[in-house]
Amino acid sequence: MNTLELASHGPVIPVIVIDRLEDAVPLAEALVAGGVIVLEVTLRTPVALAAMEAIAKKVPEAIVGAGTVRNVADAKAALSAGCRFAVSPGYLSLVGQACREIGLPLLPGVATGSEVMQANLDGYDFLKFFPATAAGGIPMLKALAGPFADVKFCPTGGITPETAPQFLSLPNVPVCGGSWLTPAAAVAARDWARITQLAREAQALRA
C-alpha cells in the first residue's frame, strides 16, 4: 500500500491515544460506524501495541496504523501488532529505510525544507507536516508548495474542525490528522455515540 492511498478514505485521519485496552475495539467500531476507517493509534501509552493488535483482529474494516514511531524497534513492533502503516513525528533515514525493508508503509513527519529533502531522497513524497500549527500552518504549507510541487502533506497538530477545511483547501494537502475525533472526555465516559458523530462530521469536511 502506498500511504497516499490513505487519503482516499476521507479527509481526516484521527490521531488516537488509548489509555485503557478495553476501549480499543469499541472506539475503533465507533469511528468505523461514522465512516472513518483509517486509524492512527499513537505509541504513547503502555497499552498502545495491544490496542492496535486488538483492533486489527476484531475490527477488520479498519486500516490500523501506528503513530509516534520513533525508531526501528517501534516500526517492527507495529508490524507485528498487525499495523498496515506507520507515522513518525520526525524523519530519520534509518527508520525510513527500515520500514521499506520490512514492508511497512511510512508517513514520515517533517517540519522543515531540509527534512522534506531528506525524506524525498529516501523515496518519500507524501509526508506528515508536524506540528502543523506550531510549525507555520497554512502559510508554511503554501511556501513549501513552491520548491516541493511534487510533494503532498498530511498536516497534523493543532488542527480543529474549524481550521481543517482551510488546510484541506490547499492543493498539496489531500488529508489532515486530527485528535478532535476522539476527545479524552468522550473516551473516558465511553460515549461511543459522540465519537461516531464526530467521525461523521469529519468525513463531511470538504474544502
Side-chain angles (χ1 to χ4, degrees):
M1 176 186 68
N2 184 319
T3 50
L4 191 53
E5 292 174 25
L6 299 173
S8 68
H9 296 288
V12 184
I13 296 175
V15 180
I16 305 165
V17 177
I18 296 177
D19 291 301
R20 298 178 303 208
L21 182 56
E22 60 268 27
D23 291 341
V25 169
L27 174 57
E29 289 173 339
L31 288 165
V32 169
V36 174
I37 66 169
V38 178
L39 313 179
E40 177 190 338
V41 179
T42 60
L43 283 168
R44 298 183 190 178
T45 67
V47 302
L49 283 167
M52 295 169 197
E53 188 169 7
I55 295 168
K57 286 181 178 176
K58 297 179 181 177
V59 192
E61 311 96 315
I63 300 172
V64 187
T68 324
V69 170
R70 296 169 50 189
N71 51 53
V72 175
D74 286 346
K76 290 180 177 177
L79 185 66
S80 296
C83 289
R84 294 168 61 184
F85 68 97
V87 185
S88 60
Y91 185 68
L92 292 175
S93 285
L94 183 69
V95 175
Q97 291 163 6
C99 284
R100 283 194 182 283
E101 288 170 7
I102 65 175
L104 182 66
L106 175 67
L107 177 58
V110 299
T112 67
S114 296
E115 292 169 338
V116 174
M117 290 169 65
Q118 184 61 59
N120 283 173
L121 187 66
D122 292 344
Y124 293 98
D125 56 11
F126 178 43
L127 311 173
K128 169 181 173 176
F129 179 57
F130 176 83
T133 302
I138 289 170
M140 183 63 167
L141 285 161
K142 287 181 176 178
L144 289 171
F148 304 111
D150 56 335
V151 177
K152 300 291 186 186
F153 295 93
C154 172
T156 304
I159 297 175
T160 67
E162 292 72 36
T163 61
Q166 300 165 34
F167 280 93
L168 292 165
S169 71
L170 300 176
N172 58 348
V173 176
V175 65
C176 64
S179 57
W180 77 85
L181 282 76
T182 56
V187 176
R190 296 188 169 94
D191 187 353
W192 308 131
R194 173 69 176 145
I195 302 288
T196 296
Q197 181 59 33
L198 289 168
R200 285 201 186 101
E201 291 168 5
Q203 280 296 90
L205 282 176
R206 286 290 181 265

